[in-house]
Amino acid sequence: MVQGKTKGLAAKASSSHHARRAAANTKKGQRHIAPKKPVLLKQAAMKRDLTAKINKSIESQMVQAASSGKLTIMKNAGTDASSSKGKGKA
């Protein structure tokens, strides 16, 4: 049996504590370098705006499709809903 403290235990304890704190502070999401040039800044802003507009229009279409009647699978909503009413039962 080993008597007294061993050298590896003290170093191991400090590194696990550091790793635990570092893991708790990590940010989720993509890691990328922000653009610095004015042209690239303008492109990035335009891309953000277009993405937001596209997402907003998709959400509004989903709300309109869901509020039209009973809850259905969105692929069958619209023109195909009347022809595939009986297929969903199992």
Side-chain angles (χ1 to χ4, degrees):
M1 298 293 292
V2 177
Q3 296 178 355
K5 294 183 179 181
T6 58
K7 292 181 181 178
L9 288 178
K12 188 174 184 181
S14 65
S15 65
S16 65
H17 177 70
H18 176 71
R20 186 172 59 239
R21 284 189 75 181
N25 292 333
T26 56
K27 294 181 180 179
K28 295 180 180 174
Q30 291 182 344
R31 273 82 170 164
H32 62 84
I33 299 170
K36 302 285 189 284
K37 296 180 180 179
V39 175
L40 297 178
L41 283 171
K42 197 177 273 190
Q43 287 177 356
M46 189 187 326
K47 183 178 179 183
R48 277 194 307 268
D49 291 341
L50 290 174
T51 304
K53 288 178 184 178
I54 290 169
N55 288 341
K56 189 174 181 180
S57 70
I58 289 172
E59 288 175 4
S60 66
Q61 289 174 5
M62 296 285 283
V63 168
Q64 288 177 353
S67 66
S68 65
K70 66 176 187 172
L71 296 176
T72 59
I73 297 174
M74 297 307 293
K75 184 167 51 171
N76 294 338
T79 59
D80 296 336
S82 61
S83 65
S84 63
K85 276 188 177 177
K87 292 181 181 178
K89 296 181 182 178

